[in-house]
Amino acid sequence: MTDPTWTTVDEYLESKLLPDDPVLTACLEASRAAGLPEIQVSPVQGRLLQLVAEVAGARNILEIGTLGGYSAICLARALPPDGRMTTLEIEPKHAEVARANLERAGLSAKVDIRLGPALETLPKLESEHRGPFDLVFLDADRPNNRAYLAWALRLSRVGTVIVVDNVVRHGEVADAASRDPHVLGVRELIDGISAEGRLRATALQTVGRKGYDGFLLARVEATGSPAGADHRSTRPKRPSGPAQDR
Ligand code: SAH
Ligand code: DHB
Ligand code: MG
């Protein structure tokens, strides 16, 4: 399910809204030359990430899934001079390409690339008190999405913004019979968000040069126990009816 018009429109929007960007162009060229998979966010999505981080006033950003550093450059550009970003990557080759791309972008002083499986790196970030993060971008292996969400919550504060890429997967997300581990990972993430109760979230279906997919956007609304724990059962029941503030 891909329509060539989606790419044509992306090209049009890029030509008008995203003026020549030699740093991002060089990042893509170096990533391609190194043989990395071309699965980074598209230019308009990268700009969306930058804008979300700017609007949120993010000073401390976490990314899971660095690849060649394309989205990391977009996000790190939103940081103030004393801002910091940590990005997690399992593949040494990807991390090496990203390091060079961030260096060329003049962002290496702000961005810390941590090599290793994210589920091993995240506990280290916690013990180093690297949180709370103002924005978390989840864009790694989908089957671990729910675990990453739990970590994002542990490392967050009220108001932290969580963005998740690839939540629609050509529409497969709505297929309850799917056995695709990526689809199951996204569905578990969405179940986790609805069970958790302290995130306010939405998701948008997107089309473009990367086909048909989607972005999820969430805001942490309260502090509490890790995702999945029913901390609400120990508290007085809320009055029924819609919450007042939403
Ligand atoms: N955010 C990037 C694209 C990331 S692609 C961009 O838009 O520019 C997903 C990346 O996640 C790949 O580089 C892959 O190696 C990495 N990844 C996969 N499993 C991982 C894991 N368990 N821990 C850390 N990174 C992982
Ligand atoms: C693909 C796209 C992504 O954005 C990603 O993070 C992983 C895989 C893909 O098109 O296969
Ligand atoms: Mg992605």
Side-chain angles (χ1 to χ4, degrees):
M1 198 195 307
T2 305
D3 183 334
T5 315
W6 301 344
T7 300
T8 306
V9 172
D10 257 355
E11 286 166 356
Y12 163 73
L13 295 172
E14 289 161 16
S15 74
K16 296 289 184 184
L17 302 178
L18 311 176
D20 284 346
D21 196 324
V23 164
L24 286 180
T25 302
C27 171
L28 290 178
E29 278 169 6
S31 300
R32 188 176 302 130
L36 266 50
E38 297 187 34
I39 56 173
Q40 66 283 332
V41 294
S42 71
V44 295
Q45 290 173 327
R47 176 59 60 83
L48 179 71
L49 289 174
Q50 180 182 347
L51 287 166
V52 169
E54 286 169 354
V55 168
R59 309 172 67 84
N60 191 21
I61 296 176
L62 172 65
E63 173 179 73
I64 308 184
T66 315
L67 192 65
Y70 188 94
S71 55
I73 291 173
C74 298
L75 286 164
R77 281 175 167 176
L79 290 168
D82 62 343
R84 267 184 112 176
M85 173 164 180
T86 306
T87 181
L88 315 184
E89 176 53 55
I90 196 171
E91 290 290 340
K93 184 177 165 189
H94 297 184
E96 186 189 314
V97 172
R99 197 159 281 124
N101 284 332
L102 285 157
E103 180 75 43
R104 200 180 299 109
L107 292 165
S108 33
K110 282 181 178 172
V111 184
D112 187 9
I113 303 171
R114 297 293 186 97
L115 184 61
L119 289 177
E120 291 179 16
T121 321
L122 286 159
K124 293 183 192 149
L125 298 183
E126 184 178 49
S127 57
E128 292 169 20
H129 306 286
R130 289 295 291 267
F133 293 99
D134 307 310
L135 185 146
V136 182
F137 179 45
L138 302 185
D139 192 19
D141 47 330
R142 257 33 77 182
N144 279 323
N145 261 347
R146 188 159 177 170
Y148 295 152
L149 175 73
W151 274 105
L153 284 164
R154 283 177 82 96
L155 298 169
S156 71
R157 56 166 172 83
V158 171
T160 294
V161 175
I162 300 174
V163 182
V164 188
D165 193 22
N166 311 112
V167 298
V168 173
R169 301 273 307 180
H170 316 287
E172 290 165 68
V173 69
D175 179 4
S178 175
R179 288 289 156 261
D180 177 339
H182 292 254
V183 174
L184 289 171
V186 174
R187 289 177 65 90
E188 282 169 16
L189 171 82
I190 290 173
D191 285 343
I193 290 173
S194 48
E196 162 61 36
R198 58 194 180 95
L199 283 160
R200 182 152 48 166
T202 191
L204 288 177
Q205 304 180 66
T206 57
V207 296
R209 55 164 74 248
K210 288 185 76 182
Y212 171 33
D213 214 320
F215 255 146
L216 183 141
L217 180 70
R219 179 182 183 274
V220 177
E221 299 287 304
T223 55
S225 51
D230 189 7
H231 59 285
R232 284 165 297 175
S233 62
T234 59
R235 292 186 188 168
K237 285 213 162 39
R238 293 198 203 117
S240 55
Q244 310 86 310
D245 64 338
R246 50 191 84 177

